Amino acid sequence: MAERVVVTAVGIISALGMGKDAHVAAIRNRQSGVKAVMHLKSLHSAEFVLGEIDKSNDDLASLMGLPTGDNGYTRTTLLSLAAMKDLLEHVDISVLHNEPFAFINANTVGGMSKMEDIYMDVISPDNDEQNNKYINTLDCAESTENVAAHYGLKPLMATISTACSSSSNSLLLGARMIKQGVVKRAVCGGGDALSRFTLNGFNSLKNVDKQLCQPFDQNRGGLNLGEAAGFCLLESESAAKARGANIIAVLSGYANTNDAYHPTAPSPTGEGACRTMQQALDMAKLAPGDIGYINAHGTATQNNDLAEGLAIQKLFGPNPPAFSSTKPYTGHTLAAAGVIEAIFSMWAMEEQMIIPNLNFETPMEELTIKPATALKENEPVNHVLSNSFGFGGSNVSLVFSKA
Amino acid sequence: MTQPLYILSACAISAQHTYDATRFLDPVLSVNDGKLFMIDADYARYISPVAIRRMSRMLKAGITAGMKCLEDAGVKTPDGIIIGSARGSVTDMQNFLKDMINMKEEALTPTAFIQSTYNSVNGWLAMMTKCTSYNQTYVHRGFSLELCLLDAQLMLAETTEKKYLLAGGFDELTDEYYIIRDKIGYYKKQMPESQALLNHYDTPGSIGGEGASFFTVTNDADKASCAIHGLQMLLQPTSEALQAAMADMLSQNGLKNEDIDVLVCGMNGDSRNHFLVDPLIATCADKTTIATFKQFSGEYDTASGFGLWLVNYLFVHSCIPTETVYKQGTSDEINNVLLCNITISGDATLVLVKRNSLAG
């Protein structure tokens, strides 16, 4: 019987701020980080609202003690560094130096946030050496290797990219490596910075809402994009206990399945999402009724919310546990969504609270269930489920339980 | 590794005749411009006419190599699909990006954006094989394929049932991508004939390549000709660290240097890698034949997939194609093969493959 895998520290930066206190305060105040654009230089910037992080690249560089300006770091890497810095506020870095560990990161477009500004120069055969230091940032692995190098860490590294489920898959791989004894610890998560590439990509798919997004609402008009980075320190329970670590949660179940239905759309009946949640519950040896809170993927696109809503209804019945999408707070942060929402789910359990789904007005015609809209405190939340679904039919569900 | 990862079938689409392995290196295809592009395969055999029209070349090659690999293994629906690619479909990424810039963010169509997503080949293969189980995409430079193999091995160790996974890697070369990487020293300035690449070990850089290599891997020993018994990924190792990792892997498997019948070496002709390659070759026993492949595949992030395809070929055919032989060893058997790949950035991977003595 493999050991339990526990979460002992988290690090996060999103449009709500950096670290737990900023996030939990914003949630309690029903305060969204989705707002008018400050930094992204898109021709559409004035039309959209985004879950953009207030800090500029120079602010982030200063935070990390790096030179400002043209320093070779992309926003993707800077956000990932900031999330790792937050995590290391809660765990002594020597823990990561002493024994072999894995660092599993995820993103969807590497350093596209920089590359899209210099691409025409980069592909011109005339050498403009100024930009050469950014060429390798095209690789998704660049931020992974840079974060490890910044902290002088030499982990077993992996980078995952499965669209919007990417960083949930990081946690899944970390848990697998720990259970199989490959490593005792793994820092798992991911980060994505806003880019014109992804904004225009989702806009060309006609699923970006120019107003604040409304997950699980009859009149939902699509997603708001956001940016974030987050990491969780996973450990085998014995390794965590041996160093007297505070255990935030047990990663008690996880599942990865594929819809095998369509390149971008989920199976409309929610069959794939339902199977994924069921498998994650099975691994955790829990019944649907044991779950106290579901952090839904809830992108507020037509397709996702219908499929996911039907799946929740099918698996949990007409009276499901409180569920909400936290994307109205942060925007859809793509590769980071899985880990930051896993973190929100663990905080719901730690704080014994139900996180309300903002911007909800009208229940969906196809559903008999609706998301939680009121902040509830002192709720008995002992097990939580967090969903992440992505392009390519990629579905991941994670279950966390109280230690 | 605690349990062997059996290779049931392999399929590669590359710059050589690998898709039709009966013609492997007959003839050797060589270029003098440093760009070894893939030979197109019969994509329409697996992909419908409607779908194929909108697909980029890499997508077609990835899907076709994956489908053929499963067909060769007699597996219709695998128990999981795990794919590595450092850069995904480069053509789709650059097309969407340039359209966005040139059309000033207006009137864009989503096809290239969707296909540029790193897991789009995963998604298509899942749809085409009706595989609703595990699906994963690794995008870690020169470790992308090896991470797939590691994940597959870990996943199979979790079960006692016989499971069949599709694991593979692909990466694409484009003229534009060549310009980009040329700026940071990936390619030789004076370009030799590609098949003579390894005679030009005195200058920095390599030659460009691309390809898709897929493997049906399983915990079922019944029909596989070989199995992976060791796997190591080393980020910019010193020569000593590479040697130590190799020695460690061999000793864990009860082997010594002289037990290696063939070293399949992913040397890429880059003078900056001498310090890793030379000691590796020097420590090879007289028995060991050294075979090389990057003069045929070109250099790309998942080129080790071509190397692993070649390893599987050696076991299936029980012979070493003379064109690949860098140093002839005295061993007349092929029981233990070590694949060592070395990337432009100086990362190294080791894969130990042994003949499957349990094959039924």
Side-chain angles (χ1 to χ4, degrees):
Chain A
M1 183 66 199
E3 261 207 272
R4 297 205 300 178
V5 174
V6 299
V7 181
T8 53
V10 302
I12 186 170
I13 183 166
S14 82
L16 296 181
M18 191 166 159
K20 181 180 177 184
D21 292 350
H23 281 85
V24 171
I27 288 167
R28 288 207 159 103
N29 293 327
R30 303 177 66 94
Q31 177 199 327
S32 169
V34 179
K35 54 192 180 306
V37 179
M38 283 171 67
H39 301 299
L40 186 72
K41 291 187 175 50
S42 164
L43 295 168
H44 298 295
S45 283
E47 298 162 41
F48 291 105
V49 288
L50 298 173
E52 196 177 50
I53 291 168
D54 289 346
K55 287 181 165 56
S56 68
N57 287 3
D58 279 352
D59 294 339
L60 290 163
S62 299
L63 176 77
M64 297 310 303
L66 295 167
T68 55
D70 206 13
N71 58 10
Y73 287 85
T74 69
R75 191 166 175 84
T76 312
T77 300
L78 291 167
L79 294 179
S80 303
L81 281 167
M84 185 64 102
K85 181 181 167 66
D86 183 42
L87 183 139
L88 290 170
E89 302 280 326
H90 309 286
V91 57
D92 192 315
I93 195 165
S94 66
V95 170
L96 304 182
H97 281 303
N98 293 344
E99 290 174 295
F101 86 106
F103 177 36
I104 304 160
N105 189 27
N107 58 70
T108 57
V109 286
M112 183 59 79
S113 55
K114 176 68 182 181
M115 191 51 62
E116 63 192 8
D117 293 335
I118 58 173
Y119 193 66
M120 288 312 198
D121 289 336
V122 166
I123 60 174
S124 155
D126 307 321
N127 211 355
D128 172 13
E129 300 218 343
Q130 180 62 19
N131 290 324
N132 286 0
K133 61 176 172 289
Y134 290 103
I135 284 177
N136 273 334
T137 69
L138 268 168
D139 299 351
C140 293
E142 185 264 352
S143 56
T144 316
E145 294 189 3
N146 245 333
V147 170
H150 181 86
Y151 284 103
L153 299 169
K154 292 193 166 57
L156 168 57
M157 282 191 272
T159 312
I160 290 174
S161 195
T162 56
C164 308
S165 63
S166 300
S167 59
S168 292
N169 272 320
S170 298
L171 271 77
L172 188 152
L173 178 68
R176 174 172 283 160
M177 284 184 173
I178 290 168
K179 284 187 183 178
Q180 294 283 319
V182 178
V183 290
K184 281 186 180 175
R185 300 186 175 87
V187 173
C188 307
D192 256 333
L194 283 163
S195 69
R196 292 185 287 136
F197 186 90
T198 42
L199 178 63
N200 281 283
F202 281 96
N203 196 32
S204 73
L205 281 159
K206 300 190 175 23
N207 56 15
V208 183
D209 195 337
K210 295 186 177 181
Q211 313 299 316
L212 294 173
C213 70
Q214 295 183 280
F216 300 106
D217 192 289
Q218 175 66 22
N219 302 314
R220 65 196 180 281
L223 53 80
N224 303 143
L225 283 174
E227 60 186 353
F231 293 112
C232 296
L233 174 60
L234 268 51
E235 304 187 61
S236 71
E237 190 170 24
S238 61
K241 285 185 169 162
R243 67 179 187 91
N246 171 47
I247 294 174
I248 298 171
V250 179
L251 176 50
S252 51
Y254 48 81
N256 161 318
T257 77
N258 194 278
D259 267 7
Y261 174 75
H262 184 272
T264 59
S267 54
T269 57
E271 190 189 322
C274 188
R275 187 171 47 241
T276 316
M277 292 189 284
Q278 179 69 63
Q279 286 183 15
L281 288 176
D282 289 349
M283 183 191 276
K285 296 190 171 61
L286 294 173
D290 295 326
I291 297 294
Y293 167 67
I294 303 170
N295 187 300
H297 188 54
T299 55
T301 59
Q302 292 298 324
N303 288 334
N304 177 80
D305 290 12
L306 177 60
E308 189 177 15
L310 288 171
I312 291 172
Q313 200 165 283
K314 187 174 170 199
L315 182 58
F316 292 90
N319 297 301
F323 71 97
S324 65
S325 164
T326 47
K327 289 191 170 66
Y329 296 87
T330 59
H332 186 357
T333 61
L334 306 179
V339 66
I340 70 163
E341 290 165 22
I343 292 171
F344 289 174
S345 304
M346 286 185 267
W347 287 339
M349 204 159 55
E350 265 198 318
E351 300 292 317
Q352 297 284 285
M353 70 176 181
I354 302 297
I355 305 175
N357 190 110
L358 302 181
N359 311 332
F360 177 83
E361 289 164 358
T362 314
M364 286 166 59
E365 272 173 10
E366 301 90 339
L367 301 179
T368 60
I369 58 172
K370 54 183 187 184
T373 52
L375 174 75
K376 285 191 184 159
E377 304 269 10
N378 305 313
E379 286 288 305
V381 183
N382 297 318
H383 305 278
V384 290
L385 174 74
S386 182
N387 286 336
S388 302
F389 307 130
F391 278 9
S394 175
N395 304 317
V396 182
S397 293
L398 304 171
V399 178
F400 296 94
S401 302
K402 288 195 85 145
Chain B
M1 295 196 18
T2 48
Q3 82 177 35
L5 183 66
Y6 295 94
I7 300 178
L8 198 52
S9 68
C11 177
I13 294 176
S14 73
Q16 304 298 329
H17 295 294
T18 47
Y19 184 74
D20 174 9
T22 60
R23 296 172 61 199
F24 184 48
L25 303 180
D26 179 22
V28 169
L29 300 173
S30 187
V31 298
N32 56 20
D33 64 353
K35 296 173 189 170
L36 277 165
F37 290 111
M38 297 179 287
I39 307 170
D40 282 329
D42 52 347
Y43 304 134
R45 186 168 161 211
Y46 298 101
I47 310 170
S48 76
V50 182
I52 213 166
R53 235 178 297 134
R54 303 174 77 181
M55 278 183 189
S56 60
R57 204 166 54 99
M58 196 67 246
L59 217 60
K60 287 187 279 196
I63 292 167
T64 301
M67 292 301 288
K68 170 96 168 13
C69 183
L70 288 172
E71 188 180 280
D72 289 351
V75 173
K76 266 196 165 151
T77 303
D79 296 299
I81 298 173
I82 312 174
I83 303 178
S85 177
R87 291 302 318 284
S89 175
V90 174
T91 298
D92 286 305
M93 185 282 289
Q94 67 194 26
N95 285 351
F96 189 77
L97 182 53
K98 283 190 297 185
D99 280 354
M100 181 187 90
I101 294 167
N102 294 331
M103 295 162 75
K104 305 209 181 311
E105 301 186 38
E106 293 296 343
L108 293 162
T109 53
T111 304
F113 175 68
I114 295 164
Q115 294 186 8
S116 76
T117 310
Y118 284 84
N119 66 336
S120 61
V121 172
N122 281 81
W124 275 101
L125 281 168
M127 278 191 286
M128 293 172 71
T129 61
K130 300 184 172 50
C131 174
T132 57
S133 43
Y134 189 67
N135 203 295
Q136 191 70 284
T137 313
Y138 294 105
V139 293
H140 201 104
R141 290 183 173 157
F143 298 158
S144 302
L145 174 70
E146 285 76 1
L147 285 164
C148 297
L149 300 172
L150 174 63
D151 193 12
Q153 194 265 335
L154 294 177
M155 195 178 157
L156 293 173
E158 289 171 355
T159 179
T160 51
E161 290 168 51
K162 288 180 178 176
K163 299 252 185 197
Y164 305 88
L165 305 173
L166 179 64
F170 68 87
D171 273 297
E172 182 181 8
L173 178 68
T174 67
D175 289 322
E176 206 165 290
Y177 196 37
Y178 187 95
I179 293 170
I180 296 174
R181 287 198 139 173
D182 191 35
K183 288 187 175 184
I184 49 172
Y186 266 71
Y187 306 120
K188 289 193 182 297
K189 295 297 170 202
Q190 292 292 321
M191 202 41 88
E193 268 292 321
S194 58
Q195 64 178 325
L197 171 70
L198 301 178
N199 301 334
H200 297 264
Y201 219 97
D202 49 350
T203 55
S206 186
I207 54 175
E210 60 173 3
S213 314
F214 279 79
F215 307 89
T216 307
V217 292
T218 171
N219 51 0
D220 177 1
D222 196 32
K223 294 192 180 71
S225 48
C226 60
I228 295 171
H229 287 253
L231 182 64
Q232 281 280 334
M233 289 165 271
L234 304 162
L235 186 76
Q236 299 185 339
T238 60
S239 176
E240 292 74 22
L242 177 60
Q243 298 284 323
M246 185 173 143
D248 196 38
M249 180 182 280
L250 293 179
S251 81
Q252 277 178 18
N253 283 277
L255 299 174
K256 297 192 191 68
N257 262 358
E258 56 265 34
D259 297 321
I260 298 296
D261 300 302
V262 188
L263 170 72
V264 174
C265 184
M267 60 171 95
N268 56 22
D270 187 330
S271 58
R272 295 166 297 188
N273 290 329
H274 264 297
F275 77 100
L276 287 174
V277 174
D278 292 349
L280 194 70
I281 287 172
T283 51
C284 275
D286 291 343
K287 270 186 72 180
T288 308
T289 295
I290 301 174
T292 60
F293 61 89
K294 285 200 177 146
Q295 71 273 36
F296 305 126
S297 67
E299 177 65 301
Y300 55 100
D301 290 297
T302 46
S304 58
F306 187 102
L308 188 59
W309 179 90
L310 175 59
V311 171
N312 185 67
Y313 180 98
L314 302 182
F315 283 108
V316 170
H317 295 267
S318 290
C319 74
I320 308 169
T322 49
E323 296 86 347
T324 66
V325 174
Y326 184 82
K327 188 213 88 176
Q328 182 66 52
T330 57
S331 171
D332 51 9
E333 296 183 314
I334 302 175
N335 290 319
N336 302 311
V337 177
L338 184 66
L339 170 63
C340 176
N341 191 42
I342 292 167
T343 72
I344 291 277
S345 47
D347 298 336
T349 62
L350 294 166
V351 183
L352 176 65
V353 189
K354 294 163 75 167
R355 182 172 293 281
N356 175 23
S357 52
L358 304 173

